[in-house]
């Protein structure tokens, strides 16, 4: 590639960052519409909770609501930081926070952020208003970012990355042994989470731990069944890789929407461990549930690594990964190894799905959303390398969480995917991939 | 196999025999010309040639810790058939890939026909007139034989996106290219496969197709990577005939080949690789007696020790 | 159940503007995959930039609609360049992942709150295509037996099918030229094309741009058709629809995507209408399926159809079976 081309790419990427950065800083306040029934009064109101950058409520802050320059009402935040101002009717209002009442070192994150114009209140709605408060310093680059928040995001990122990692290992192993990019891998995640949900709710009401173990079995069985019933016959018929890739996409669509029919479109939570008080460990807060999940995810990763290095089947997997023909010639039952890889990958994806469901929510699209992050992790780490998949996924988890330091949380996944595209640009073989010819 | 192709085979064998008889009778024009040009050249590695078409210097390529190619200096004389020999993994094919731009060397400069082409992309090197074929034939399977050949022509106006929409702007050139392609199909006895997908051809036919396609580029030099591999004996003779005929027309040919009989019978000059380096070069007779070459092969090839009686 | 009603709904689906628009986007995809072998799984991203390029030009810059459509196509050129430069040198499956990711990145950006002033965020944009409807030459509806097309639908069908057939004609000219020959050579073997002096990267880029522009044009038409767009209408499933359409009709056939789209939409709307009337007739127990599941059934059916097609008839309806048997990939 010529230097000119590289320069052009760099310029485009830089331009995107420059455009995005100030836009991210001056973002609109999030407006949450609460249905009328949820509020005690049927009439319109605006309400909210004022918290400092560490998410602690702020008491005694005055909030004033005006319309066309005339004051409509005001309120002072209570001990929980909550406030509410009843309104005469629907319409557009301006909500102002009294900066003078803020403690030292706390100020609106964006300049002029204490005044929110054009807060639209629909008939009967109790409109939520959020003031985004920061440390008062204008955030430029790395300066002025509270260390505590960074640490918190690092912890969240590691947790998220570890969950992606255990799901991505299967994707990577399947690719390594069969060269198939399994587009349906995300569905194993969803199937695992949904299975555990059905087992742990009525009428079974199994404890979630047991349900998770059974979900792993189901995930492994589904993946193994797909291998035996679909992929093996296709390979026997000498189907091309692109042909199988497209079949995998069809399978992904089919499974995802079968789950949707059975499970419904609503997001669900597991009954157990859904609400927990977070532990405060120094500057970082984490719920016992999330801590256990993170530790378990790492334990699973270590177990997979030990299996790959120390056991016969693990050695066989690596051999097939390196050179299928050579492995076959040296007496390894390649078909059996591939089957084990599918079952293992399916089971790992299923438990990853349960973890994801526990920390976030269970919904039919969860697997597909995770799939793109898995791809990002796998490519970042190096296609076909199981350890690369783990490392890459951790990085992707961290990137997506840390991006919320500067950018809206709704774009967290976007940054993870962008990192993948940039990696393809500068180091297509990934962090741990072998430097073979990929293009 | 159908009757048609069987007859075809017989015909090919017949022409091959004719050509062979002719060759045995006396060396061809090209062979004599090449012998005369190389007459005063010493048989030492890296020796300068009177009229080199390809000059390579300090070429090296490493894969991980292994050095696959390490060539200090190599020249290829214009208008000759030069063979690259050497045991498996000696770096012949890697060297091919390097000079044709299909692989990037860790270091090295090389020039073709006086123009420095170091590091140029492969398609540009091909346009300079240095065209290669591949060890594993790359017939474009879902294009017909004719399309395969027509693709080879360079400077096609209709290959530009906007011009392609204006048929009159390229229709005449296309007709010329078609005529030339059909002529080459005839020359390589492939006319009966004209409208068949290349994917339906036999291995030997694909080799012929690939060579014919390379000729469509109108190259000054053609590099053949194991042109005889997987080709049945009857077709081998015909392929050899084609290669010699090309040399006689003034083209330079470099080939990688394992079959010593083939090499000794048609080459004007032989370069022997071992462990990535040029360990010997010279006329076939010099190479046959070269101790370094015999050591490199550990005497595994009977044809190195004694002349083939046939 | 009224079989005639179900059938006429299905026929309307097969001939409606959506079928034309999807055919157009699939024609673009056919240039990518059918002729050049590029695994583009982000065609919906091109549709998205086309749709928003059109809508934003009209709403934010008061441009005439036709300028908006051109802006949309220009956006596709930029997207293809940004996407192609890093990925076209890589193996095909990398392109597949990079394109699907890029399409999702675009969707996240367009729906994000900071883009809201321009893109309308999750709420999208409405009412930007009045310019086209003002030109509607049809004054009344067309009735053919049980089929009824409103004047608005007739106008949209004329525009959409007209554009689609023009695009097909363009593709026919292109692929029956030496340019198209190089494209197919690149599809078969990049190294062989390189060894014959063809600049493979340039051809792949041209194909990516061209197919992407057709995708963007389809996106513009989609936006014009509904007069309303939201980023969440441009999800990856749309791309999978397009792949199904292309393979159903026959990849690397000029008319493949058009035939594929007509059959695809006929089957899809038929399934939809059939399930609805079967449910209201009480043939399907509510414990098994409820009307809100129909969308999911439809997607599942597409998935199953794509699988079966690829396994048992990868050449599609009008593909050359003999040609396909040579597929060694």
């Amino acid at each position: 590639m010529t230097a000119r081309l590289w320069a052009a790419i760099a310029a485009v990427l830089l331009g995107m960052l420059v455009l995005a950065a100030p836009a991210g800083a001056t973002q609109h306040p999030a407006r949450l519409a609460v249905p009328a029934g949820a509020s005690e009064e049927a009439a319109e109101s605006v309400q909210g909770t004022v918290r400092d950058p560490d998410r602690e409520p702020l008491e005694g802050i005055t909030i004033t609501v005006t319309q066309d320059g005339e004051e409509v009402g005001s309120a002072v935040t209570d001990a929980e930081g909550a406030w509410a101002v009843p309104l005469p009717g629907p319409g557009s209002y301006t909500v102002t926070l009294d900066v003078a009442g803020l403690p030292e070192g706390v100020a609106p994150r964006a300049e002029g952020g204490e005044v929110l114009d054009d807060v639209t209140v629909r008939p009967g709605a109790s409109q939520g208003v959020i003031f985004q408060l920061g440390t008062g310093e204008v955030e430029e680059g790395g300066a002025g970012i509270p260390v505590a928040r960074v640490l918190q995001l690092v912890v969240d990122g590691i947790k998220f990355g570890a969950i992606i990692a255990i799901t991505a290992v299967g994707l990577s192993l399947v690719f390594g042994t069969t060269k198939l990019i399994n587009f349906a891998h995300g569905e194993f995640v969803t199937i695992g989470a949904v299975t555990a949900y059905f087992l742990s709710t009525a009428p079974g009401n199994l404890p979630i731990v047991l349900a998770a173990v059974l979900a792993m079995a189901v995930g492994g069985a589904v993946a193994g069944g797909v291998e035996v019933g679909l992929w093996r016959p296709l390979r026997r018929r000498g189907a091309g890789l692109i042909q199988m890739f497209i079949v995998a996409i069809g399978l992904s669509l089919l499974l995802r929407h079968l789950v949707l029919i059975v499970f419904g479109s609503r997001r669900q939570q597991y009954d157990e461990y859904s609400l927990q008080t977070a532990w405060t460990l120094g500057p970082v807060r984490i719920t016992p549930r999330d801590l256990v999940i993170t530790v378990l995810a790492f334990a699973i990763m270590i177990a997979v690594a030990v299996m790959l290095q120390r056991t016969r089947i693990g050695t066989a997997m690596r051999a097939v990964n390196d050179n299928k023909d050579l492995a076959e010639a040296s007496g390894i039952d390649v078909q059996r190894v591939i089957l084990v890889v599918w079952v293992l990958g399916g089971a790992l994806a299923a438990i990853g799905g349960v973890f994801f469901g526990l920390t976030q929510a269970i919904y039919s699209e969860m697997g597909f959303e995770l799939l793109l992050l898995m791809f990002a992790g796998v490519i970042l780490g190096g296609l076909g390398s199981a350890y690369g998949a783990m490392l890459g996924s951790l990085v992707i988890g961290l990137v997506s969480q840390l991006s919320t330091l500067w950018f809206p949380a709704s774009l967290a996944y976007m940054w993870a995917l962008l990192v993948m595209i940039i990696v393809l640009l500068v180091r297509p073989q990934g962090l741990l991939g072998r430097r073979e010819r990929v293009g | 196999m159908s009757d048609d192709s069987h007859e075809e085979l017989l015909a090919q064998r017949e022409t091959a025999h004719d050509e062979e008889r002719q060759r045995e009778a006396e060396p061809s024009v090209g062979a004599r010309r090449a012998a005369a040009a190389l007459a005063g050249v010493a048989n030492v590695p890296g020796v300068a040639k009177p009229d080199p078409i390809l000059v390579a210097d300090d070429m090296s390529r490493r894969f991980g810790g292994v050095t696959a190619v390490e060539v200090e200096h190599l020249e290829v004389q214009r208008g000759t058939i030069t063979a690259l020999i050497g045991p498996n993994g000696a770096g012949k094919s890697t060297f091919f890939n390097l000079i044709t731009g299909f692989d990037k060397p860790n270091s090295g400069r090389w020039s073709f026909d006086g123009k420095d082409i170091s590091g140029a992309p492969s398609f540009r090197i091909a346009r300079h007139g240095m065209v290669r074929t591949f060890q594993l034939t790359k017939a474009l399977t879902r294009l017909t034989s004719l399309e395969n050949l027509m693709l080879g022509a360079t400077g096609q106006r209709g290959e530009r996106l906007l011009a392609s929409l204006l048929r009159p702007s390229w229709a005449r050139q296309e007709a010329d290219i078609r005529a030339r392609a059909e002529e080459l199909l005839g020359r390589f006895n492939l006319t009966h496969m004209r409208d068949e997908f290349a994917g339906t051809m036999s291995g030997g036919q694909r080799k012929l197709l690939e060579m014919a396609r390379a000729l469509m580029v109108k190259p000054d030099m053609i590099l053949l990577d194991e042109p005889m591999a997987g080709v049945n004996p009857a077709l081998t003779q015909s392929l050899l005939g084609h290669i010699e005929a090309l040399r006689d027309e003034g083209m330079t040919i470099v080939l990688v080949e394992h079959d010593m009989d083939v090499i000794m019978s048609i080459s004007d000059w032989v370069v022997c690789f071992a462990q990535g380096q040029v360990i010997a070069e010279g006329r076939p007779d010099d190479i046959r007696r070269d101790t370094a070459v015999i050591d490199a092969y550990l005497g595994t090839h009977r044809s190195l020790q004694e002349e083939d009686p046939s | 159940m009224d079989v005639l009603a179900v059938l006429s709904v299905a026929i309307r689906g097969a001939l409606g503007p959506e079928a034309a628009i999807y055919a157009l986007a699939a024609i673009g995809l056919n240039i990518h995959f059918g002729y050049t072998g590029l695994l583009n799984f982000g065609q919906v991203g091109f549709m998205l930039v086309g749709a928003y390029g059109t809508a934003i030009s009209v709403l934010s810059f008061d441009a005439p609609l036709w300028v908006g459509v051109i802006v949309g196509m220009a956006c596709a050129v930029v997207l293809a360049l940004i996407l192609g430069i890093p990925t076209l040198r890589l193996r095909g499956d990398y392109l597949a992942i990079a394109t699907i990711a890029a399409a999702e990145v675009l969707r996240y950006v367009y729906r994000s709150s900071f883009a809201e002033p321009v893109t309308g965020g999750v709420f999208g944009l409405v009412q930007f295509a009045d310019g086209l409807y003002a030109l509607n030459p049809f004054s009344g509806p067309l009735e053919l037996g049980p089929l009824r097309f409103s004047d608005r639908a007739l106008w949209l069908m004329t525009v959409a099918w007209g554009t689609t057939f023009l695009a097909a004609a363009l593709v026919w000219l292109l692929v029956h030229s030496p340019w198209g020959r190089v494209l197919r050579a690149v599809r078969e073997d990049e190294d062989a094309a390189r060894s014959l002096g063809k600049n493979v990267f340039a051809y792949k880029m041209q194909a990516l741009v061209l197919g992407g522009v057709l995708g963007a044009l389809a996106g513009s038409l989609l936006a014009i058709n509904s007069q309303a767009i939201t980023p969440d209408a441009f999800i990856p499933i749309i791309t999978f629809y397009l792949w199904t359409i292309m393979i159903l009709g026959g990849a690397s056939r000029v008319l493949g995507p058009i035939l594929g789209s007509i059959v695809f939409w006929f089957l899809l709307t038929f399934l939809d209408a059939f399930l609805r009337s079967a449910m209201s007739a009480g043939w399907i127990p509510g414990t098994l399926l409820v009307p809100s599941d129909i969308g999911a059934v439809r997607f599942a059916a597409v998935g199953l159809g794509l699988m079966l097609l690829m396994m048992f008839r990868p050449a599609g309806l009008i593909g050359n079976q003999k040609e396909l048997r040579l597929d060694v990939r």
Side-chain angles (χ1 to χ4, degrees):
Chain A
M1 200 179 286
T2 64
R4 215 169 31 163
L5 218 53
W6 281 109
I9 300 165
V12 167
L13 288 172
L14 210 64
M16 284 169 67
L17 289 176
V18 169
L19 280 175
T26 59
Q27 63 179 284
H28 285 257
R31 290 161 194 166
L32 308 166
V34 178
S39 152
E40 292 215 339
E41 325 150 275
E44 296 78 13
S45 66
V46 283
Q47 47 85 22
T49 305
V50 179
R51 294 177 193 271
D52 72 5
D54 299 325
R55 310 290 302 146
E56 296 298 327
L58 290 174
E59 190 181 356
I61 312 291
T62 309
I63 309 286
T64 314
V65 179
T66 55
Q67 187 172 35
D68 303 328
E70 303 211 358
E71 183 171 327
V72 175
S74 69
V76 177
T77 59
D78 62 13
E80 267 77 54
W83 59 273
V85 177
L87 299 173
S92 182
Y93 296 89
T94 301
V95 187
T96 309
L97 177 141
D98 181 14
V99 226
L102 291 175
E104 205 168 316
V106 178
R109 207 189 290 178
E111 210 172 310
E114 68 271 22
V115 183
L116 301 176
D117 285 321
D118 289 332
V119 176
T120 310
V121 182
R122 276 175 300 189
S126 176
Q127 179 69 44
V129 171
I130 294 171
F131 287 98
Q132 296 205 327
L133 299 179
T135 48
E137 297 161 47
V138 177
E139 289 172 14
E140 281 175 40
I145 294 166
V147 179
R149 182 136 188 266
V150 173
L151 284 176
Q152 180 67 49
L153 288 174
V154 166
V155 168
D156 291 348
I158 289 175
K159 176 191 74 185
F160 189 39
I163 295 175
I164 302 172
I166 54 174
T167 55
V169 167
L171 187 69
S172 178
L173 283 174
V174 164
F175 176 82
T177 47
T178 64
K179 297 287 166 273
L180 170 73
I181 294 186
N182 178 25
F183 231 87
H185 197 73
E187 309 332 314
F188 300 148
V189 174
T190 318
I191 287 172
V194 166
T195 307
Y197 175 78
F198 281 124
L199 291 174
S200 66
T201 50
N205 281 329
L206 294 178
I208 186 71
V209 177
L210 186 56
V213 172
L214 290 174
M216 275 181 87
V218 170
V222 171
V226 168
E227 155 65 9
V228 173
L230 184 65
W231 302 121
R232 190 176 289 176
L234 273 177
R235 282 200 303 273
R236 289 244 166 86
R237 277 168 43 183
L241 279 177
I242 291 178
Q243 198 180 347
M244 305 228 298
F245 181 59
I246 297 170
V247 171
I249 286 172
L251 181 66
S252 158
L253 275 180
L254 176 66
L255 292 179
R256 193 185 331 159
H257 292 98
L258 287 181
V259 169
L260 180 59
I261 294 168
V262 176
F263 184 73
S265 58
R266 287 192 52 190
R267 287 175 177 240
Q268 305 283 5
Q269 300 277 338
Y270 294 115
D271 288 347
E272 286 176 84
Y273 309 115
S274 58
L275 284 172
Q276 277 191 330
T277 321
W279 289 345
T280 306
L281 307 167
V284 174
R285 293 160 60 82
I286 187 166
T287 59
R289 175 199 68 202
D290 288 1
L291 187 63
V292 169
I293 284 176
T294 311
V295 170
L296 270 179
F298 273 96
I300 290 171
M301 276 190 266
I302 292 167
V304 170
V306 169
M307 183 220 54
L308 283 175
Q309 293 300 338
R310 296 284 167 81
T311 63
R312 276 180 70 93
I313 186 73
T315 316
M317 278 178 202
R318 284 187 296 134
V320 175
N321 199 342
D322 282 346
N323 188 330
K324 196 171 175 176
D325 296 331
L326 195 64
E328 190 136 43
S330 54
I332 293 175
D333 183 351
V334 171
Q335 297 308 322
R336 193 177 139 259
V337 170
I338 290 175
L339 178 61
V340 174
V341 163
W342 276 96
V343 171
L344 178 72
L348 288 177
I351 189 70
V354 177
F355 287 170
F356 186 80
L358 276 168
T359 55
Q360 315 225 354
I362 313 149
Y363 50 102
S364 66
E365 294 273 323
M366 62 190 280
F368 187 70
E369 276 177 19
L370 267 187
L371 180 74
L372 290 180
L373 297 182
M374 285 185 237
F375 279 151
V378 166
I379 285 186
L380 184 61
L383 210 51
S385 153
Y387 304 125
M390 296 181 195
L391 180 68
S393 302
L394 281 173
V395 174
I396 290 297
L398 281 170
V399 166
S400 66
Q401 293 299 315
L402 285 173
S403 76
T404 60
L405 275 175
W406 300 279
F407 306 105
S410 60
L411 291 183
Y413 287 6
M414 184 200 82
W415 290 106
L417 297 180
L418 267 186
V419 163
M420 177 186 81
I421 293 175
I422 291 165
V423 167
L424 283 177
L425 212 136
V426 294
R427 197 182 154 86
Q429 76 273 26
L431 297 174
L432 297 187
R434 275 168 299 179
R435 194 175 179 87
E436 60 184 329
R437 199 180 143 84
V438 289
Chain B
M1 193 174 276
S2 71
D3 282 352
D4 245 17
S5 52
H6 186 67
E7 271 172 36
E8 188 63 33
L9 219 79
L10 285 175
Q12 274 169 0
R13 196 168 296 167
E14 205 47 48
T15 42
H17 276 304
D18 286 348
E19 284 160 9
E20 205 175 356
R21 273 194 292 276
Q22 231 169 14
R23 194 166 54 242
E24 275 166 9
E26 52 173 311
S28 68
V29 196
R32 270 180 283 145
R33 202 165 49 214
L38 290 165
V41 180
N43 53 333
V44 289
V47 67
K49 311 283 183 331
D51 181 15
I53 188 166
L54 177 78
V55 182
D57 280 298
D58 297 322
M59 305 280 291
S60 75
R61 176 72 172 103
R62 286 181 290 276
F63 295 107
V66 187
T67 303
V69 166
E70 184 104 65
V71 172
E72 272 176 38
H73 187 81
L74 185 66
E75 295 184 3
V76 172
Q77 169 71 17
R78 190 187 304 274
T80 60
I81 297 176
T82 301
L84 306 189
I85 64 167
N88 281 327
K92 309 176 297 276
S93 284
T94 309
F95 183 71
F96 248 49
N97 287 340
L98 292 180
I99 56 173
T100 50
F102 278 82
D103 192 5
K104 297 268 174 268
N106 296 88
S107 72
R109 297 178 315 281
W110 64 107
S111 65
F112 176 73
D113 215 4
K115 291 179 290 278
D116 183 21
I117 53 166
S118 317
S122 52
F123 72 91
R124 210 153 273 148
I125 290 178
R127 286 183 195 170
H128 277 299
M130 181 157 90
V131 177
R132 68 168 301 175
T133 66
F134 295 87
Q135 190 175 344
L136 301 166
T137 41
K138 291 185 182 296
L140 303 164
T141 43
R142 287 183 290 171
L143 267 63
T144 65
S145 305
L146 185 67
E147 284 177 319
N148 260 278
L149 258 65
M150 290 177 72
L151 181 76
T154 47
Q156 298 192 40
R157 279 189 287 276
E159 285 184 354
R160 268 174 284 157
L161 178 56
L162 290 177
S164 72
L165 290 169
L166 297 167
R167 187 176 287 265
S169 74
W170 48 264
R172 264 190 72 154
Q173 191 190 25
E174 181 84 347
D176 293 345
I177 291 169
R178 179 184 299 266
R180 198 149 67 81
E182 286 181 344
E183 189 189 310
L184 268 173
L185 278 176
R187 176 171 171 180
F188 283 85
N189 298 325
L190 291 170
T191 303
H192 62 293
M193 300 296 284
R194 184 178 179 277
D195 297 316
E196 299 290 326
F197 284 127
T200 62
M201 295 173 126
S202 71
Q205 284 172 325
R206 288 184 198 207
K207 290 273 181 196
L208 285 172
L209 182 77
E210 209 183 2
M211 202 189 292
R213 195 175 64 194
L215 292 178
M216 285 295 291
V217 185
K218 292 188 181 162
D220 298 315
M221 175 162 146
I222 182 164
L223 297 106
L224 306 171
D225 201 347
E226 300 199 18
M228 314 301 167
V231 177
N232 72 50
L235 219 51
T236 303
Q237 286 308 322
S238 148
L239 259 168
L240 285 180
H242 287 305
I243 293 171
E244 291 196 295
L246 290 174
R247 186 257 329 264
D248 294 350
E249 289 163 20
M251 203 176 287
T252 312
I253 290 143
V254 176
L255 57 104
V256 167
E257 191 46 68
H258 282 296
D259 188 330
M260 282 299 154
D261 299 342
V262 166
I263 288 164
M264 294 305 163
S265 67
I266 68 163
S267 308
D268 303 308
W269 194 259
V270 179
V271 177
C272 183
F273 275 70
Q275 279 141 10
Q277 294 176 323
V278 176
I279 58 162
E281 59 174 304
R283 277 157 291 267
D285 288 336
D286 305 332
I287 290 295
R288 222 191 292 270
R289 288 188 294 272
D290 193 301
T291 46
V293 175
I294 295 168
D295 284 349
Y297 277 88
L298 288 168
T300 47
H301 274 271
R302 65 184 167 82
S303 47
L304 276 173
Q305 277 124 20
E306 51 180 311
E307 183 116 19
D308 201 319
S310 72
Chain C
M1 183 188 334
D2 186 352
V3 180
L4 208 61
V6 169
L7 270 179
S8 70
V9 168
I11 291 171
R12 262 219 309 279
L15 300 179
E18 276 94 357
I21 290 164
Y22 276 74
L24 181 58
I27 288 173
L29 194 58
N30 201 19
I31 296 179
H32 292 153
F33 177 73
Y35 293 107
T36 323
L38 300 176
L39 284 174
N40 172 17
F41 276 91
Q43 184 71 342
V44 73
F46 288 104
M47 294 173 74
L48 182 140
V49 295
Y52 273 91
T54 306
I56 291 171
S57 301
V58 172
L59 293 177
S60 296
F61 300 99
D62 285 326
L65 187 59
W66 64 270
V67 173
V69 173
I70 291 172
V71 169
M73 294 197 283
C75 290
V77 175
V78 174
L79 175 62
L81 291 175
I82 293 177
L83 208 56
I85 288 169
T87 52
L88 284 181
R89 290 166 193 277
L90 302 174
R91 221 170 45 202
D93 35 14
Y94 281 82
L95 182 71
I97 295 173
T99 46
I100 194 169
E104 281 290 88
V105 166
L106 283 172
R107 185 170 68 86
Y108 286 132
V109 170
Y110 277 69
R111 77 195 293 277
S112 70
S113 51
F114 74 73
E116 198 173 314
V118 183
T119 64
V122 288
F123 307 108
L125 299 170
V126 290
Q127 293 295 320
F128 39 80
D130 298 333
L132 184 81
Y133 291 103
L135 297 174
N136 188 352
F138 297 98
S139 50
L142 176 73
E143 296 199 30
L144 295 166
L147 284 176
R148 185 178 183 281
F149 295 101
S150 69
D151 53 339
R152 182 192 147 107
L154 282 175
W155 176 225
L156 277 170
M157 282 162 65
T158 313
V159 172
W161 282 114
T163 313
T164 302
F165 277 100
L166 272 180
L170 177 83
V171 170
W172 191 91
L173 279 177
L174 285 172
V175 301
H176 288 90
S177 76
W179 185 81
R181 188 162 59 214
V182 180
L183 232 51
R184 286 182 292 136
V186 169
R187 174 189 73 190
E188 297 303 311
D189 197 312
E190 288 182 21
D191 278 345
R194 273 193 199 101
S195 77
L196 299 171
K198 312 301 174 199
N199 185 350
V200 169
F201 180 73
Y203 281 99
K204 281 166 63 167
M205 186 58 99
Q206 287 170 9
L208 188 68
V209 168
L210 195 65
V213 165
L214 291 183
L217 190 56
S220 293
L221 286 172
L222 200 65
I224 290 168
N225 178 39
S226 56
Q227 278 267 50
I229 45 170
T230 66
D232 293 338
F234 297 92
I235 47 178
I237 283 184
I238 306 293
T239 306
F240 302 153
Y241 268 20
L242 297 175
W243 272 82
T244 311
I245 285 169
M246 175 183 66
I247 291 164
L248 176 63
S252 67
R253 284 284 172 279
V254 173
L255 292 178
I258 292 180
L259 181 68
S261 190
I262 291 174
V263 175
F264 178 83
W265 281 100
F266 178 83
L267 293 175
L268 209 60
T269 37
F270 180 85
L271 178 70
D272 216 288
F274 173 79
L275 285 177
R276 266 176 223 289
S277 60
M279 275 175 196
S280 57
W283 292 1
I284 300 176
T287 50
L288 194 65
L289 280 180
V290 289
S292 63
D293 286 336
I294 287 179
V297 172
R298 178 169 152 159
F299 286 125
V302 172
L304 185 64
L306 184 59
M307 279 174 76
L308 294 176
L309 253 180
M310 212 56 211
M311 284 192 281
F312 300 110
R313 202 179 163 87
L317 295 170
I318 55 171
N320 185 338
Q321 296 286 348
K322 185 175 152 199
E323 182 179 310
L324 209 97
R325 269 204 301 278
L326 299 170
D327 192 356
V328 289
R329 287 171 300 181

